[in-house]
Amino acid sequence: MMKTRSFLKCSLAALALAATSLAPVQAQVPPNYKAEYKMSLVVGTAFPWGKGGEIWAKLVKERTQGRINIKLYPGVALVQGDQTREFTAIRQGVIDMAIGSTINWSPQIKELNLFSMPFLMPDYKAIDALTQGEVGKRLFQIVDKAGALPLAWGENGYRELTNSKHPVKSPADLKGLKIRIVGSPLFIDTFTALGANPTQMSWADAQPAFASGAVDGQENPMSIFTAAKLQNVGQKYVTMWGYVADPLIFVVNKDVWASWTPEDQAIVRQAAIDAGKEEVAIARKGLAEADKPLLKEIAALGVTITELTPTEREAFVKATRPVYDKWKTQIGADLVNAAEKAIAASR
Ligand code: X2X
């Protein structure tokens, strides 16, 4: 009898101990938190863009002690690879958070076309003058109003021209080339003005189209070129023309954001800023240095790299000027004027 009782006592004590040791762990995660938050990206961790996602998720997990767990969904898998539908899916909550290109969200947010204005941003300083200045703040207000909470800037990069046919040094060299472009009508206008034959398609569809020769060329940052090994799908000619660059924006769905404690909101925001800084440095590696070592690596793969003289480049600027003027009105002359001013001040 005594034995049973003391056994019971011991077991109860053990149970109580187990319960108290479990309790603090459970209390750490607010009950309304999801077990996993879905982060959408166009490309995976072999690319600077995907690395940015990996860094953001890791920082958030560490700094929240695992309260917020983020899983990466590259290939815009949550919207079946259709990157032009990504922003809508974030707003609707199909996607919890994302690092998205300004190009892919410009069908929903016309002001994001700003970065796709041909030859607006001459160098990295110009990009920074926009994203890190007043224009960046205004754009974040616009993204917020459009329905997702923007936290930080990242970068895909300067989009250079590649093709499978021949070196391109002038708009005449583009004549009749079938060029894959992304999902904004601005790109149709730009490539039509240059005499090319633009065709709009998702990144997922583009790669087989290069391999089969269904399209001749495309435009993307060199970090995308190398990570996707575009030289192996016939893209043997690169023209460094730096006509546009697409920044990335780190965002969170608004209901998800509201569900987090102020402490965790601050952690997620700071982690996005830190990851964004790191991601921009990774995206510029090999290209921001004066001798551009990445280009030597690419040339060593048997790729012909054409660097334009100022006069050669000017011919592309001139041919696309009517597109610039048309889109200045569409985007909003006020915003474009502010961008031109900020860039001029950064010179
Ligand atoms: O589709 C593209 O070209 C890419 C990967 O650069 C974007 O998502 C904008």
Side-chain angles (χ1 to χ4, degrees):
M1 192 65 182
M2 273 308 279
K3 262 185 186 161
T4 324
R5 207 177 275 164
S6 67
F7 171 76
L8 252 175
K9 251 190 193 161
C10 279
S11 320
L12 281 173
L15 262 176
L17 198 75
T20 48
S21 65
L22 272 177
V25 177
Q26 282 172 338
Q28 271 182 8
V29 185
N32 60 323
Y33 277 32
K34 297 188 196 180
E36 176 192 295
Y37 293 92
K38 296 181 167 76
M39 184 198 295
S40 178
L41 304 152
V42 176
V43 293
T45 53
F47 300 73
W49 185 343
K51 286 201 178 80
E54 190 173 48
I55 297 165
W56 190 18
K58 182 175 152 267
L59 292 178
V60 167
K61 188 169 188 166
E62 281 171 9
R63 295 176 186 178
T64 63
Q65 273 109 38
R67 284 190 297 279
I68 297 177
N69 273 298
I70 300 165
K71 187 172 169 198
L72 272 53
Y73 286 82
V76 259
L78 301 166
V79 281
Q80 293 76 45
D82 184 353
Q83 62 223 61
T84 59
R85 280 173 40 216
E86 188 181 50
F87 189 80
T88 305
I90 298 161
R91 217 183 44 214
Q92 293 172 341
V94 175
I95 291 169
D96 296 318
M97 56 212 297
I99 306 176
S101 162
T102 49
I103 297 172
N104 295 333
W105 298 351
S106 62
Q108 289 81 36
I109 308 172
K110 70 174 185 344
E111 290 87 350
L112 292 182
N113 280 299
L114 176 70
F115 301 100
S116 304
M117 294 276 277
F119 303 101
L120 168 68
M121 301 178 294
D123 52 26
Y124 287 124
K125 252 197 198 159
I127 304 178
D128 294 341
L130 299 188
T131 59
Q132 306 307 309
E134 275 313 307
V135 169
K137 281 200 194 108
R138 269 170 78 173
L139 288 171
F140 269 17
Q141 282 164 6
I142 290 165
V143 171
D144 190 324
K145 232 175 128 191
L149 188 77
L151 299 177
W153 292 95
E155 190 164 295
N156 192 16
Y158 271 103
R159 303 180 68 88
E160 312 297 355
L161 182 64
T162 79
N163 82 94
S164 61
K165 299 289 185 197
H166 51 241
V168 171
K169 282 194 169 144
S170 70
D173 296 329
L174 265 172
K175 191 150 188 64
L177 285 190
K178 196 160 179 186
I179 305 291
R180 175 268 170 173
I181 50 153
V182 272
S184 165
L186 196 167
F187 288 84
I188 297 178
D189 288 352
T190 298
F191 282 87
T192 303
L194 290 168
N197 175 12
T199 175
Q200 192 176 307
M201 115 190 12
S202 74
W203 176 240
D205 291 341
Q207 296 168 84
F210 305 141
S212 72
V215 304
D216 303 315
Q218 62 95 44
E219 45 80 64
N220 245 306
M222 296 322 288
S223 65
I224 294 265
F225 184 96
T226 52
K229 299 186 169 61
L230 293 188
Q231 77 277 4
N232 294 345
V233 285
Q235 298 298 296
K236 294 288 190 191
Y237 301 95
V238 172
T239 300
M240 298 296 294
W241 64 342
Y243 83 128
V244 305
D246 52 331
L248 303 174
I249 304 179
F250 291 59
V251 298
V252 175
N253 164 278
K254 288 196 172 183
D255 293 332
V256 168
W257 183 258
S259 76
W260 289 335
T261 63
E263 183 205 358
D264 284 343
Q265 288 174 346
I267 290 173
V268 173
R269 181 189 295 277
Q270 190 57 48
I273 293 167
D274 295 346
K277 276 203 188 108
E278 227 180 293
E279 191 278 335
V280 170
I282 299 169
R284 293 182 184 183
K285 195 161 181 287
L287 293 168
E289 303 86 340
D291 59 339
K292 299 193 181 112
L294 184 64
L295 296 189
K296 290 192 187 86
E297 283 171 36
I298 295 169
L301 302 169
V303 174
T304 302
I305 298 182
T306 302
E307 295 197 72
L308 302 175
T309 65
T311 315
E312 285 168 343
R313 193 170 184 273
E314 196 48 40
F316 289 95
V317 177
K318 217 174 145 195
T320 54
R321 196 65 205 184
V323 178
Y324 187 103
D325 296 338
K326 171 184 164 185
W327 279 86
K328 185 168 181 171
T329 314
Q330 300 224 4
I331 291 165
D334 205 43
L335 182 67
V336 179
N337 284 334
E340 289 169 350
K341 252 197 192 153
I343 291 167
S346 77
R347 314 302 302 148

